[in-house]
């Protein structure tokens, strides 16, 4: 196989440094990448249409002779020509043009024009068609014309030539003969690529564009297969490491269960069982605990951490915001301190002395459990016996941070890793992007939750909403008021929160109105949250700092201002802050028009669905996996061609074949990965 990966700017056979630099912008670093650089769409230049028969508004190719051409100066400078064939004529209009184009349009010249015909003032007209001078009777291309994604300074024609050369070098050998066989019956890899770069005339454009053609299926299948293979490999590599066996004896988990005012749901029991089994094994667990907002992930994590303590190891729980980390700390300390477990708290805003004391307790091994923010992964913090690392709201952290926590493990052994997420992941996404993790799902909410009623209210009816808040709070309920998200400016967002707080406090003198935002000192935040939890504050005005994890069961009303600005997952998270107690709860989404199509789609989805998985599916549909995968993106190559929704069947098939290849033919698995990824390193480490 011709040379593969070479670094940007270095060039490779027949490609100079400047061209190589441009290709690198398209992530093309060798012949292999060129062959896999597939067209965005196609144009059909294999057929000519008589001008008189050409349909309006569809791309067509016509051929004719220039009859007249002039530069007009009114209403603006433009070139207007008349081109005719035996059936009729049309006007060609160029609103800006080069001298070379004027030359092509000199009367008497024969041209092929590709473009859309529109009805102009003087009859049929093409504005800026693609023009090519031809001789009479010149043959037509034998394939559809591919249109490639490209970059500045790299013409379609140049790219096409390079790709053609790369295809000529493509080995015929197919690594996946099983895909050709029935029932798949898909073409070989090289045949599929050759086809897609130059589909023969008559290939239905719709099948190409929808990527449902067998050639597309073949390429997408292999892309998904490569993703499965590399993720499963990463999983196996991590699995091969040593980890402490955390065999519990129930001496701590038993008493904790006995002290709880509730019993675990079936889903929680199942997750606890899956986790307990893996913790007792000598290889690091890599598990994602997925459960909708309020499904009770914390207690599952607490039981896992106690199992570590029973086995004489330490555990750490990291959360993305100070408010959430502190809530976890308070809850865990309340649950576990009575059992003789020493829980330490670490945060960035902590006083030096307090922190030093916590770090010392961890280092000496007297503390079993640490709860905190990113502060946990700073250099000063050492865990002599870290057996289990738990990351809450894992999608808020980057790969690097998760790795940093894992690397706190003792020499020669990796801690078990439990990641938690309240953003439900649609099945197809879980099967593809998360194929390197084992997943436990909490698909059941604890009993006694009251469903949250969602209302969409136009911003113009804000006064009514405020009046309703007053009545509810006077009747003993508590409420959140979430301030608008202002992505462009944190300062502006803060100012808006201050203004909203002042306005609501003035409008509701009979209520105690509190405020939390990201810029408050930790102690102020804590005091406010505690006062709200204790019922001393009726109405809590907040920025999205309350988005994750906050758990105040008495709060039953939430107003979200400018709800159209929030993402779907965010709205779902926010709404999950209410409906945690027995009282009937409501979430009022205030919106301001005009709504973008996407904004309308999000509001509709959040209004119609309460189930996190349904919302996640909508979100995936509206946004695509790129944003969804979020911080994981840095570690996982995104799919270029396959579509998680349309290609769910292919994902299933790819997964089955990946498992078989890894088991029976690892060398072939490596070769398939290699032809897609070349020497490129993938960052699959956490
Ligand atoms: P999340 O999955 O969103 O992190 P939490 O762990 O914060 O959910 O749990 C939400 C609330 O439900 C907490 O107040 C918790 O104590 C309570 N809870 C958890 N499990 C149960 C259960 N099985 N029965 C009743 N309440 C539960
Ligand atoms: Mg939580």
């Amino acid at each position: 196989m011709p040379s593969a990966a070479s670094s940007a700017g270095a060039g490779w056979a027949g490609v100079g440094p400047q061209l190589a630099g441009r290709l690198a912008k398209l992530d093309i670093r060798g012949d292999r990448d060129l062959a896999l650089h597939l067209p965005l769409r196609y144009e059909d230049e294999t057929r000519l249409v008589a001008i008189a028969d050409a349909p309006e508004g569809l791309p067509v190719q016509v051929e004719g002779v220039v009859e007249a051409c002039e530069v007009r100066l009114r209403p603006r400078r433009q070139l207007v020509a008349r081109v005719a064939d035996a059936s009729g004529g049309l006007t060609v209009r160029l609103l800006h043009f080069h001298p070379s184009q004027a030359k092509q349009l000199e009367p008497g010249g024969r041209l092929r024009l590709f473009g859309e015909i529109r009805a102009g003032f003087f009859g049929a007209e093409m504005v800026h068609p693609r023009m090519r001078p031809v001789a009479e009777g010149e043959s037509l291309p034998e394939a559809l014309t591919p249109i490639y994604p490209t970059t500045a300074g790299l013409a379609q024609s140049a790219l096409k030539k390079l790709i053609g050369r790369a295809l000529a070098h493509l080995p015929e050998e197919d690594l996946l003969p099983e895909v050709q066989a029935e029932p798949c019956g898909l073409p070989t890899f090289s045949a599929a690529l050759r086809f897609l770069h130059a589909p023969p005339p008559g290939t239905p454009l719709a099948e190409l564009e929808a990527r449902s053609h067998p050639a597309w299926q073949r390429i997408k299948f292999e892309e998904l297969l490569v993703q499965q293979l590399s993720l499963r490999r990463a999983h196996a590599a991590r699995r091969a490491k040593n980890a402490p066996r955390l065999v519990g004896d129930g001496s701590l988990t038993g008493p904790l269960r006995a002290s709880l005012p509730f019993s675990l749901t079936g889903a929680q029991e199942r997750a606890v069982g899956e986790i307990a089994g893996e913790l007792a094994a000598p290889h690091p667990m890599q598990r994602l605990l997925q459960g909708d907002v309020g499904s009770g992930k914390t207690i599952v994590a607490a039981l896992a951490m106690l199992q570590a303590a029973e086995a004489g190891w330490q555990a750490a729980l990291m959360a993305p915001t100070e408010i959430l980390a502190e809530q976890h700390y308070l809850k865990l300390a309340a649950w576990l301190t009575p059992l003789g477990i020493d829980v330490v708290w670490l945060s960035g805003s902590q006083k030096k002395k307090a922190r030093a004391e916590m770090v010392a307790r961890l280092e000496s091994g007297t503390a079993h459990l640490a709860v905190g923010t990113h502060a946990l992964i700073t250099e000063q913090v050492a865990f002599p016996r870290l057996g289990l690392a738990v990351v809450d709201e894992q999608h808020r952290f980057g790969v690097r941070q998760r790795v940093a926590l894992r690397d706190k493990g003792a020499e020669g052994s990796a801690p078990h890793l439990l990641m938690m997420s309240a953003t439900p992941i649609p099945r197809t996404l879980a099967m593809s992007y998360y194929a390197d993790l084992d997943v436990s799902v909490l698909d059941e909410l604890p009993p006694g939750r009251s469903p949250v009623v969602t209302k969409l209210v136009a911003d113009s009816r804000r006064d009514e909403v405020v009046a309703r808040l007053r009545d509810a709070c006077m009747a003993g309920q508590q409420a959140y008021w979430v301030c608008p998200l202002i992505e462009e400016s944190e300062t502006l967002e803060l100012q808006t929160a201050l203004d909203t707080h002042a306005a609501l406090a003035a409008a509701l003198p009979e209520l105690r109105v509190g405020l939390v935002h990201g810029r408050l000192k930790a102690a102020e935040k804590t005091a406010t949250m505690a006062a709200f939890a204790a019922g001393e504050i009726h109405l809590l005005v907040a920025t999205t700092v309350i988005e994750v994890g906050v758990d105040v069961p008495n709060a039953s009303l939430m107003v979200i201002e400018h709800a159209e600005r929030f993402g779907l997952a965010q709205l779902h998270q926010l709404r999950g802050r209410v409906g945690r107690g027995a009282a009937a709860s409501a979430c009022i989404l205030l919106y301001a028009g005009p709504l973008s199509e996407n904004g309308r789609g999000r509001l509709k989805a959040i209004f119609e669905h309460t189930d996190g998985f349904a919302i996640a599916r909508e979100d995936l549909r509206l946004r695509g996996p790129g944003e969804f995968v979020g911080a994981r993106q840095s570690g996982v190559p995104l799919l270029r061609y396959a579509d998680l929704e349309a290609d769910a069947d292919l994902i299933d098939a790819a997964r089955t074949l990946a498992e078989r290849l890894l088991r029976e033919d690892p060398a072939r698995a490596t070769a398939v990965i290699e032809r897609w990824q070349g020497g490129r390193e993938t960052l699959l480490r956490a």
Side-chain angles (χ1 to χ4, degrees):
M1 174 151 240
S3 75
S6 51
S7 59
W12 67 88
V15 174
Q18 192 186 25
L19 180 55
R22 287 181 185 150
L23 289 169
K25 283 197 192 136
L26 299 170
D27 217 14
I28 297 175
R29 294 183 169 76
D31 278 356
R32 178 162 26 204
D33 298 337
L34 277 167
L36 277 169
H37 191 69
L38 291 170
L40 280 177
R41 60 188 176 85
Y42 302 88
E43 286 175 354
D44 189 355
E45 292 177 295
T46 64
R47 283 181 299 172
L48 285 175
V49 180
I51 291 177
D53 300 339
E56 263 179 42
L58 291 175
V60 287
Q61 179 171 245
V62 299
E63 182 177 313
V65 175
V66 183
E67 291 183 332
C69 179
E70 61 172 340
V71 176
R72 288 195 196 146
L73 297 174
R74 261 167 248 281
R76 49 177 284 192
R77 193 175 129 87
Q78 54 184 285
L79 191 74
V80 179
R82 183 88 193 149
V83 175
D85 66 7
S87 74
L90 56 73
T91 302
V92 171
R93 193 182 297 277
L94 303 183
L95 300 171
H96 40 82
F97 54 94
H98 295 294
S100 64
Q101 288 170 310
K103 197 152 187 305
Q104 283 183 347
L105 283 168
E106 271 172 17
R110 172 174 288 274
L111 290 174
R112 279 193 191 144
L113 304 173
F114 189 94
E116 285 176 21
I117 291 189
R118 283 193 257 162
F121 193 65
F122 299 103
E125 139 171 342
M126 271 188 180
V127 179
H128 285 272
R130 193 161 65 227
M131 308 189 293
R132 206 161 66 85
V134 286
E136 193 167 357
E138 189 166 314
S139 61
L140 287 159
E142 280 168 11
L144 301 180
T145 309
I147 308 294
Y148 294 106
T150 186
T151 180
L154 187 61
Q156 287 291 335
S157 52
L159 198 49
K160 197 172 158 185
K161 216 150 103 199
L162 285 165
I163 290 172
R165 218 179 55 194
L167 285 176
H169 294 154
L170 202 66
E172 281 309 323
E173 162 226 19
D174 198 342
L175 293 169
L176 301 173
E178 49 269 87
V179 189
Q180 283 148 258
E182 292 302 327
C184 307
L186 296 176
T188 66
F189 182 65
S190 58
L193 285 179
R194 293 212 167 89
F195 183 94
L196 292 175
H197 283 292
T203 310
L205 275 176
E207 274 184 31
L208 290 175
E209 250 135 56
R211 299 189 172 173
S212 59
H213 190 281
W216 263 123
Q217 297 279 311
R218 176 63 172 82
I219 298 304
K220 292 194 290 188
F221 175 79
E222 189 161 319
E223 176 176 49
L224 289 164
L225 178 71
V226 166
Q227 188 190 44
Q228 292 291 322
L229 289 172
S230 48
L231 287 169
R232 294 311 298 175
R233 277 254 162 100
H235 181 266
R238 291 192 302 253
R239 214 42 207 160
K241 293 189 182 142
N242 295 323
R245 299 184 60 150
L246 307 179
V247 183
D249 58 8
S251 59
L252 294 167
T253 52
L256 173 61
R257 280 168 176 270
S259 75
L260 292 174
F262 52 78
S263 50
L264 299 191
T265 63
Q268 283 171 318
E269 287 291 2
R270 205 166 48 239
V272 167
E274 286 164 348
I275 292 167
E278 282 199 319
L279 290 179
H283 301 293
M285 171 174 82
Q286 312 162 58
R287 187 164 284 275
L288 179 66
L289 174 61
Q290 222 197 302
D292 211 342
V293 186
S295 59
K297 295 182 288 295
T298 318
I299 185 68
V300 175
L303 288 167
M305 294 191 288
L306 277 188
Q307 183 172 335
E310 284 172 5
W313 288 79
Q314 294 172 308
L317 169 64
M318 180 162 77
T321 68
E322 189 137 344
I323 286 192
L324 178 56
E326 179 159 49
Q327 269 202 28
H328 279 323
Y329 170 70
L330 294 174
K331 184 168 247 172
L332 290 169
W335 277 339
L336 307 183
T337 316
L339 305 175
I341 296 288
D342 183 11
V343 186
V344 305
W345 159 245
L346 282 168
S347 89
S349 61
Q350 209 163 19
K351 291 248 163 56
K352 260 209 180 106
K353 202 167 142 224
R355 186 182 166 95
E357 194 225 303
M358 299 288 174
V359 171
R361 266 157 63 190
L362 271 181
E363 235 169 302
S364 66
T366 55
H368 308 90
L369 187 59
V371 180
T373 57
H374 303 75
L376 281 174
I377 50 179
T378 57
E379 276 163 34
Q380 299 89 326
V381 183
F383 297 83
R385 285 176 72 76
L386 182 62
L388 169 64
V390 182
V391 181
D392 195 16
E393 305 296 339
Q394 60 90 22
H395 57 284
R396 295 290 201 95
F397 290 98
V399 173
R400 263 165 255 288
Q401 291 160 323
R402 292 195 296 259
V403 169
L405 183 59
R406 210 188 54 201
D407 287 349
K408 292 275 178 194
E411 272 304 305
S413 94
H416 297 274
L417 186 61
L418 177 65
M419 304 202 246
M420 305 203 286
S421 176
T423 306
I425 303 166
R427 182 177 154 274
T428 50
L429 193 64
M431 274 173 38
S432 60
Y433 287 94
Y434 289 84
D436 60 335
L437 294 177
D438 301 297
V439 181
S440 295
V441 181
L442 298 183
D443 52 5
E444 184 184 349
L445 289 180
R449 296 283 162 83
S450 58
V452 181
V453 176
T454 302
K455 296 201 167 137
L456 290 171
V457 179
D459 198 37
S460 52
R461 290 172 53 201
R462 194 187 158 98
D463 289 347
E464 288 168 46
V465 171
V466 173
R468 172 155 177 212
L469 262 184
R470 174 190 293 116
D471 296 345
C473 289
M474 295 303 277
Q477 296 187 38
Q478 286 178 277
Y480 298 98
W481 186 289
V482 182
C483 296
L485 181 72
I486 303 174
E487 275 184 349
E488 306 78 43
S489 158
E490 205 187 323
T491 322
L492 208 56
E493 184 163 303
L494 177 63
Q495 191 54 50
T496 310
L498 295 172
D499 294 347
T500 307
H501 175 250
L504 286 170
L508 299 165
E510 56 280 79
L511 300 185
R512 279 188 299 278
V513 184
L515 172 66
V516 281
H517 55 71
R519 291 282 186 79
L520 280 187
K521 290 224 174 63
E524 294 169 308
K525 249 187 261 180
T526 308
T528 309
M529 289 311 293
F532 188 58
E536 289 153 19
I537 289 176
H538 299 110
L539 175 61
L540 185 63
V541 177
T543 56
T544 50
V545 295
I546 63 148
E547 178 188 336
V548 289
V550 170
D551 183 31
V552 179
N554 193 46
S556 57
L557 204 56
M558 169 170 286
V559 179
I560 302 177
E561 240 190 298
H562 278 293
E564 76 280 358
R565 293 189 195 165
F566 291 86
L568 205 40
Q570 228 174 356
L571 288 173
H572 180 61
Q573 284 279 331
L574 284 168
R575 185 173 58 182
R577 302 304 119 217
V578 292
R580 301 189 150 234
S585 297
C587 178
I588 297 169
L589 304 174
L590 281 177
Y591 65 90
L595 291 174
S596 68
E597 196 182 324
N598 219 298
R600 185 186 306 275
R602 288 195 303 265
L603 291 182
K604 182 167 181 289
I606 198 76
F607 177 72
E608 286 177 356
H609 300 283
T610 50
D611 170 42
F613 281 92
I615 288 170
R617 266 196 310 277
E618 285 298 304
D619 207 16
L620 181 62
R621 205 174 55 74
L622 290 168
R623 291 195 301 169
E627 298 205 24
F628 218 95
V629 179
R632 246 184 104 64
Q633 194 172 324
S634 51
V636 181
L638 284 177
L639 293 168
R640 290 156 72 188
Y641 302 127
D643 177 287
L644 293 183
E645 218 180 336
D647 300 322
D649 295 349
L650 289 178
I651 298 177
D652 275 325
R655 196 151 85 139
T656 310
L657 181 57
E659 272 160 22
R660 222 185 72 211
L661 282 183
L662 288 172
R663 213 171 41 235
E664 294 169 10
D665 201 347
R668 195 143 63 95
T670 306
V672 181
I673 296 177
E674 178 72 7
R675 85 172 161 199
W676 279 75
Q677 296 180 346
R680 244 165 286 174
E681 195 215 352
T682 40
L683 221 187
L684 298 165
R685 303 196 313 139

